[in-house]
Amino acid sequence: MSSIVNVFVVSPDTRSERRLDLHLTVAQLKAKLELITGIPVRNQRISIQSDDTSRPDVPLADDTKQLGFYSLASLQTLKVEDADPATSLTGQLSDVSQVEKFELSEEAYAQRTDSVLAYKQRLKVGRFAPPPSAEDTPVSPPTADIPLGARCEVESAEEGLRKRGTVRFVGQTAFAKGGVWVGVEYDEPIGRNDGSVQGERYFACRPNYGVFVRPDRLKVGDFPVEEIIFDDEEM
């Protein structure tokens, strides 16, 4: 069985974990603890702190006894108290009541160049940040008041050609960033696609019946399907 134990040592100013040999006498332990806790040997009052609040701590009262005599075990706590703190520095390291506090007026603080306030002013952050401009204001995705399934007519540069069809898609697309596109299924095969562009499908129609245009290039209304009339000689 190992004679080495790991214990916690607490005092008014310190707390640490230590490895101790159970063959140490209490007197030898006090000599070691003076360097750790700052409490003189003659003032030290050592006890094994009980884990059970209903049971008292076990004092190491006999300086000639070894630690094993008191059944000291790993993970237990040795509490070191100062029996005469008036003759030592115990407690003074943690007593800040006598420490003079550094105070600085708001005016003096504002004049400093190495403060957090000066840093924020230089970088214009926090309350010193400029107000957001119109360009920084989030813009909602553009929309168009064009219902799906509506009949429409797309403007044409060819005189006499009426490009009529049905609205199948309204929204933004991956092939063009920003703005709204309208997908139209033409009545005739005068389009450019089948409702898909660059592998992305937006609606389905027959090949060469689909097209995408900007909303300002079409009119929505009661546009009937034009019937193509052939002469008898053209049948």
Side-chain angles (χ1 to χ4, degrees):
M1 182 176 178
S2 175
S3 63
I4 303 298
V5 292
N6 293 328
V7 298
F8 299 100
V9 177
V10 297
S11 71
D13 295 322
T14 65
R15 179 179 177 86
S16 60
E17 184 177 357
R18 300 290 167 175
R19 290 168 57 87
L20 300 177
D21 192 329
L22 294 176
H23 296 117
L24 282 175
T25 64
V26 174
Q28 291 172 323
L29 174 63
K30 286 182 176 181
K32 291 179 177 291
L33 293 183
E34 181 175 5
L35 300 176
I36 298 171
T37 65
I39 303 175
V41 170
R42 64 182 182 277
N43 289 3
Q44 289 182 32
R45 187 165 56 218
I46 308 173
S47 59
I48 302 175
Q49 199 168 33
S50 176
D51 296 332
D52 188 350
T53 56
S54 63
R55 299 176 59 185
D57 297 342
V58 178
L60 307 187
D62 190 339
D63 287 355
T64 64
K65 298 293 186 183
Q66 295 181 342
L67 300 182
F69 174 81
Y70 294 98
S71 302
L72 181 65
S74 287
L75 303 183
Q76 286 189 311
T77 299
L78 287 179
K79 183 168 63 176
V80 187
E81 298 175 292
D82 192 342
D84 189 8
T87 62
S88 63
L89 299 177
T90 303
Q92 295 188 26
L93 297 178
S94 57
D95 182 10
V96 297
S97 61
Q98 303 301 319
V99 178
E100 184 178 355
K101 296 180 176 61
F102 176 75
E103 296 183 354
L104 191 67
S105 67
E106 292 186 6
E107 292 78 9
Y109 180 69
Q111 297 300 319
R112 296 180 68 102
T113 60
D114 58 348
S115 64
V116 175
L117 177 67
Y119 172 81
K120 290 184 176 181
Q121 288 175 329
R122 285 196 302 270
L123 297 186
K124 300 186 184 302
V125 297
R127 60 190 175 96
F128 302 105
S133 63
E135 295 180 355
D136 298 329
T137 303
V139 179
S140 300
T143 59
D145 188 17
I146 301 176
L148 296 179
R151 291 290 298 168
C152 66
E153 185 173 272
V154 179
E155 68 178 28
S156 174
E158 299 182 36
E159 186 177 354
L161 177 61
R162 296 186 177 90
K163 297 182 178 180
R164 294 182 176 178
T166 304
V167 176
R168 299 300 186 193
F169 171 85
V170 179
Q172 298 187 73
T173 64
F175 61 79
K177 302 299 182 183
V180 172
W181 289 84
V182 182
V184 177
E185 179 183 5
Y186 281 140
D187 297 336
E188 302 175 62
I190 54 176
R192 296 184 177 182
N193 52 62
D194 63 350
S196 63
V197 178
Q198 298 175 358
E200 184 79 18
R201 178 162 297 282
Y202 301 93
F203 66 94
C205 67
R206 290 170 290 176
N208 298 325
Y209 276 76
V211 71
F212 289 87
V213 298
R214 291 296 191 179
D216 58 356
R217 288 196 55 205
L218 61 78
K219 295 180 181 178
V220 174
D222 186 16
F223 296 105
V225 177
E226 287 203 335
E227 296 181 1
I228 301 177
I229 302 176
F230 296 97
D231 295 334
D232 291 341
E233 296 180 356
E234 297 177 347
M235 294 295 290

